[in-house]
Amino acid sequence: MNPLPSAIPAASADSLCYLNGDYTRLADARVSVLDRGFMFGDGVYEVLPVYDRRLFRFDEHMARLERSLAKVRITAPLTREDWLARMRRLVAAQHEHSGATDQLVYLQVTRGVALREHTMPTDIEPTVFMMCSPAKPPTPEQRHAGVACISARDFRWERGDIKSISLLGNVLARQMSADKGAVETLLFRDGFLTEAAASNVWMVKEGALIGPPKSELLLEGVRVDLLAELCEECGIGYSLRPVSEGEVFSADELLLSSAMKEVLAVTRLDGELVGHGALRGKPGPVYARLYEAYQRAKPAQSI
Ligand SMILES: Cc1ncc(COP(=O)(O)O)c(C=O)c1O
């Protein structure tokens, strides 16, 4: 067996993961080169935040996993109860290992192992993998000042609604921003906002939060409905409707949402300051209220 490359710290290599019914050290977990995840990117995944060792919005993440599995015609390999029990065991092991109480659970299900052929074999078992890592939330500086993003044409496939492990389009899009020292790439298809490489994107206009409609072109982030609830709680208007490139570039505020970013203010886009007047280039009031509401939701919505 090849040792893990030295780029992977020993602390991570030693942490526990779950593979097809067994718990092993991450460094010892092995799958076949014929796994269709390796051959075709034929699988789906989820990323769940863990706060104080409890899973946030577990049912919503599981519902999306079930939708993704159904869309790619992989039979759900575990029940929600089974997922939960296994995740809790990994979260406890990661806590023992690193002391981290806030973590991220990554899980993936691939179609399984078969001789390489595009058509879907019917008689194979899915490969089920899961690992936990300490959370890497935005830095205090990013919270305080907001972050820089760039924009690009959305050149990915048209099934962004499937949380597919085939992420090459997203990897290329995200690297475009990394190359410019920015944290995300906002994507536009035919002049309208879809999402970012690994986040949903929101604009604030006249005090209301507005995001693109749910469709096959973008992922329905677990935070899309959560933000609707938080807006309701805070008395902030909320709507999903087509958002043009022009509106994004003249927005009062721009926000990202994802499991790890929670909500995060975008204060520079393609090198220009976001917003107007005294708040230009600064995180705005809608961001601040949603961020506070999000912190309150964490203990309330974790199991
Ligand atoms: C392409 C894409 N869009 C949106 C999101 C946000 O989804 P969630 O809020 O469920 O993390 C992600 C999360 O990683 C993503 O990869």
Side-chain angles (χ1 to χ4, degrees), residues 45-228:
Y45 76 107
E46 271 300 325
V47 179
L48 293 82
V50 174
Y51 299 117
D52 201 14
R53 285 183 277 165
R54 296 190 299 141
L55 292 144
F56 185 64
R57 303 271 286 190
F58 171 81
D59 276 315
E60 288 80 358
H61 278 282
M62 288 297 106
R64 183 173 64 188
L65 175 67
E66 288 157 13
R67 290 199 300 276
S68 292
L69 286 168
K71 285 171 186 171
V72 302
R73 298 205 255 163
I74 296 177
T75 308
L78 296 173
T79 63
R80 282 194 199 186
E81 293 70 35
D82 288 338
W83 282 116
L84 184 59
R86 285 158 177 72
M87 278 180 208
R88 284 181 165 156
R89 176 153 175 201
L90 287 182
V91 168
Q94 178 60 244
H95 177 245
E96 248 172 62
H97 181 71
S98 67
T101 53
D102 288 2
Q103 305 176 12
L104 271 194
V105 176
Y106 174 86
L107 74 86
Q108 83 168 39
V109 180
T110 75
R111 198 175 305 280
V113 179
L115 280 179
R116 189 181 181 283
E117 158 127 44
H118 283 63
T119 52
M120 299 175 180
T122 51
D123 52 353
I124 56 172
E125 292 291 314
T127 302
V128 180
F129 172 71
M130 198 160 23
M131 65 181 171
C132 279
S133 51
K136 280 208 193 103
T139 62
E141 168 63 15
Q142 289 176 326
R143 286 272 166 236
H144 176 73
V147 296
C149 291
I150 66 158
S151 67
R153 183 172 60 83
D154 192 344
F155 51 81
R156 304 167 307 155
W157 71 329
E158 295 184 354
R159 290 307 306 272
D161 61 317
I162 300 171
K163 202 161 168 63
S164 160
I165 62 168
S166 312
L167 284 171
L168 190 54
N170 301 62
V171 167
L172 292 174
R174 174 66 186 93
Q175 191 59 35
M176 289 163 69
S177 47
D179 288 345
K180 298 206 159 139
V183 309
E184 258 293 17
T185 305
L186 275 48
L187 298 168
F188 295 89
R189 194 182 287 266
D190 302 327
F192 287 88
L193 176 67
T194 53
E195 56 183 342
S199 328
N200 288 112
V201 183
W202 305 86
M203 71 161 178
V204 174
K205 198 172 175 177
E206 290 159 10
L209 189 72
I210 304 168
K214 296 176 186 180
S215 85
E216 289 191 347
L217 296 177
L218 66 153
L219 188 71
E220 185 182 336
V222 164
R223 272 125 288 276
V224 171
D225 286 349
L226 171 61
L227 284 174

Side-chain angles (χ1 to χ4, degrees), residues 246-265:
E247 287 182 298
V248 169
F249 278 87
S250 61
D252 298 333
E253 298 179 38
L254 291 176
L255 270 58
L256 301 172
S257 69
S258 76
M260 200 56 328
K261 296 178 195 87
E262 303 178 353
V263 284
L264 186 60

